[in-house]
Amino acid sequence: MQKDDLQNILALASNLYERKADDIKLLNVRHLTVLTDYLLICTGSNEPHTKALAEFIDGKAAEMGYELRRKEGAAEGRWIVLDYGFFIIHIFHPQDREYYRLDKLWEDGDNSPELPFSQEQ
């Protein structure tokens, strides 16, 4: 991971916010798993919205020079996973986000960096 990578992930979170993604969370999971360093998690309002968010954010990540290693769930639009190695983006449909509670699984109370925008919770 490079010095500017966290700033780029925060910029991607801002891009999701601008595209009306809900409940955006960034979790530093480096100390909890060897799979990745960061999880960026958000919710789209419906399947077309989750698909549009995934397509848009993948384009933004590519512009930053990040190579998509794996993409899952894009056809269904319920839980889309974009894996860039040291960070993974999860874009959920609201029902799936509530069911899987991924952020609750990985959140330890101290590993959620402040996002550069204000979200109404």
Side-chain angles (χ1 to χ4, degrees):
M1 190 167 113
Q2 303 295 320
K3 183 178 182 178
D4 294 332
D5 287 332
L6 178 56
Q7 292 305 314
N8 287 339
I9 296 169
L10 291 170
L12 291 172
S14 292
N15 289 143
L16 289 167
Y17 179 75
E18 291 167 7
R19 291 290 174 146
K20 307 296 184 210
D22 292 321
D23 197 15
I24 302 167
K25 297 255 174 119
L26 177 61
L27 299 174
N28 179 343
V29 295
R30 185 178 320 149
H31 61 292
L32 300 172
T33 182
V34 296
L35 298 176
T36 192
D37 291 346
Y38 290 94
L39 298 177
L40 180 55
I41 304 168
C42 71
T43 304
S45 55
N46 52 42
E47 287 94 346
H49 189 216
T50 61
K51 291 176 184 181
L53 288 171
E55 186 175 321
F56 174 77
I57 210 65
D58 183 40
K60 289 295 185 184
E63 287 174 11
M64 293 176 177
Y66 298 116
E67 180 181 338
L68 181 63
R69 293 182 176 188
R70 187 174 180 141
K71 182 179 191 177
E72 296 289 336
E76 299 82 11
R78 303 285 302 181
W79 178 3
I80 301 173
V81 179
L82 305 172
D83 183 352
Y84 297 93
F86 76 93
F87 71 99
I88 300 173
I89 301 173
H90 296 269
I91 304 172
F92 282 96
H93 180 278
Q95 292 170 333
D96 293 80
R97 174 86 179 260
E98 180 62 31
Y99 180 79
Y100 289 104
R101 301 172 55 90
L102 191 65
D103 45 327
K104 303 300 182 209
L105 178 68
W106 290 102
E107 195 169 40
D108 69 5
D110 240 3
N111 65 334
S112 187
E114 188 173 333
L115 295 172
F117 50 85
S118 172
Q119 297 184 94
E120 293 181 17
Q121 298 288 340

